[in-house]
Amino acid sequence: MKILFVIMAVFFLPVQAHAVTPAEDIASTIMLRGHPCGGPAVTQIQEQSDGKGNRTIRATCPNGYRYQVDVSSEGRVSVKRLN
Amino acid sequence: MKLLRYSPLLLLSFFALELALAGCAKPYEMNMSEQGVVEQETGITVDQEAEPEREQVSEQKAEQETKTTVEPAATDKTQANRTKPVEEAAVAVDRPEPAAAEKAAPGPPEITIEQLTERLKETEAIGFLTKLAIRSDVLDFRQSVESYRKRGSFEANAEKLRGYFNGLLLKILALLERDPALSRDIYLARESIWKSLVEAKS
């Protein structure tokens, strides 16, 4: 009987949409700039920032291309391919 | 014990059922929302109650036509008298009632650009980096509009700029797949967004 209750509870649980992960966010940014990525999420993310507020993110797309995403201190985003 | 052994299988089957149900419900919601968008855009609502009336009138008209063909001896005057009310009724049904249309279509909701910007900032459907990239694109667009204005060639390049704007809008709408309400509101407010982006800075 308990198992039945658990099953019913799981059945009526709402399917919630998850928030965007950093890997998905980077992949979306790469694709928004018109670069091919081959999938919704990147891997091998490396992030570094200098003291002036500029950020550099390097990540590999599912299609094997590695990209560098530069975020300036003013919030400007640019993407360039590394390989 | 057997029930315990098969409980993961049961769970999986329930999940599959739930997903299938969600998949069935989605197209219906999409249809409904599309209809809503069309109604709000055009201000014309499809009066479903008027459809049976129209069918009834067309049936009456067909009957009347058969009667007139069966009685060829009847005079022109009587024929005109017979067909006139039916025609009038058909015209009255075909013509949409303005009061009913106004009542059914309340018009697009009042959404300001500031509200949409705030909602775009707060939505979880897009990540932070993507939001920054969109912001960069919008700033680039504004800069190009300003440069065209300074050169006095804005009107000549308005079509090109509109194409760029449409592309940007499509990208944003595609990214907002997980926030359909915001996507819909941005789509409805696209003309006011365009106006606010291309208006000359004082």
Side-chain angles (χ1 to χ4, degrees):
Chain A
M1 198 63 188
K2 275 181 187 172
I3 293 161
L4 196 68
F5 274 126
V6 170
I7 289 166
M8 291 302 282
V10 168
F11 182 72
F12 287 110
L13 269 177
V15 182
Q16 285 186 344
H18 67 284
V20 179
T21 61
E24 287 173 337
D25 190 19
I26 295 164
S28 295
T29 308
I30 290 164
M31 287 188 278
L32 193 67
R33 285 280 175 265
H35 296 282
C37 194
V42 294
T43 51
Q44 298 172 31
I45 303 166
Q46 291 175 337
E47 197 173 337
Q48 59 189 41
S49 59
D50 60 1
K52 295 169 189 171
N54 301 313
R55 278 169 69 196
T56 303
I57 301 156
R58 289 193 181 98
T60 306
C61 275
N63 60 7
Y65 294 158
R66 191 154 175 83
Y67 290 100
Q68 180 173 313
V69 181
D70 294 306
V71 186
S72 73
S73 53
E74 293 98 40
R76 292 288 190 151
V77 180
S78 61
V79 178
K80 61 182 175 189
R81 208 177 125 188
L82 295 174
N83 59 352
Chain B
M1 274 310 277
K2 268 186 182 179
L3 198 61
L4 266 171
R5 196 181 296 165
Y6 292 113
S7 63
L9 207 67
L10 269 167
L11 270 171
L12 276 174
S13 65
F14 273 118
F15 268 125
L17 189 69
E18 194 176 357
L19 283 173
L21 281 171
C24 288
K26 222 173 183 179
Y28 176 71
E29 283 167 18
M30 287 282 281
N31 270 342
M32 290 302 287
S33 66
E34 275 172 17
Q35 192 183 343
V37 167
V38 170
E39 280 175 9
Q40 282 185 337
E41 270 196 337
T42 56
I44 299 166
T45 51
V46 181
D47 196 357
Q48 290 175 343
E49 286 174 9
E51 287 297 319
E53 278 179 28
R54 197 172 294 175
E55 281 172 13
Q56 209 177 343
V57 169
S58 58
E59 277 172 17
Q60 280 178 357
K61 207 176 177 181
E63 272 178 29
Q64 198 69 31
E65 277 171 8
T66 51
K67 272 182 187 174
T68 49
T69 49
V70 168
E71 299 165 13
T75 58
D76 289 345
K77 261 188 182 178
T78 52
Q79 271 186 0
N81 283 338
R82 259 184 222 157
T83 53
K84 211 175 177 181
V86 177
E87 280 171 8
E88 277 172 6
V91 168
V93 170
D94 284 338
R95 205 181 297 146
E97 288 176 24
E102 277 171 23
K103 266 184 192 175
E110 298 267 334
I111 301 165
T112 61
I113 305 297
E114 289 76 27
Q115 280 178 335
L116 284 177
T117 313
E118 276 305 308
R119 281 172 69 187
L120 203 56
K121 277 179 189 172
E122 284 166 13
T123 186
E124 287 184 358
I126 308 177
F128 178 69
L129 267 179
T130 317
K131 283 175 191 171
L132 277 181
I134 291 169
R135 184 178 162 271
S136 295
D137 282 346
V138 173
L139 288 174
D140 288 343
F141 177 74
R142 287 208 76 151
Q143 275 180 0
S144 54
V145 167
E146 287 303 314
S147 68
Y148 279 126
R149 273 199 195 285
K150 275 178 190 170
R151 279 183 275 167
S153 58
F154 173 75
E155 295 301 324
N157 292 290
E159 207 170 311
K160 184 182 158 189
L161 285 168
R162 181 68 198 213
Y164 181 77
F165 169 78
N166 285 343
L168 187 58
L169 196 75
L170 273 176
K171 278 182 194 175
I172 296 168
L173 295 182
L175 286 166
L176 285 170
E177 195 187 359
R178 291 174 189 170
D179 195 345
L182 180 57
S183 171
R184 185 175 159 274
D185 288 343
I186 288 174
Y187 177 75
L188 287 173
R190 65 192 183 282
E191 287 307 320
S192 51
I193 295 169
W194 163 255
K195 277 176 193 165
S196 72
L197 285 175
V198 299
E199 71 185 3
K201 277 182 186 174
S202 55

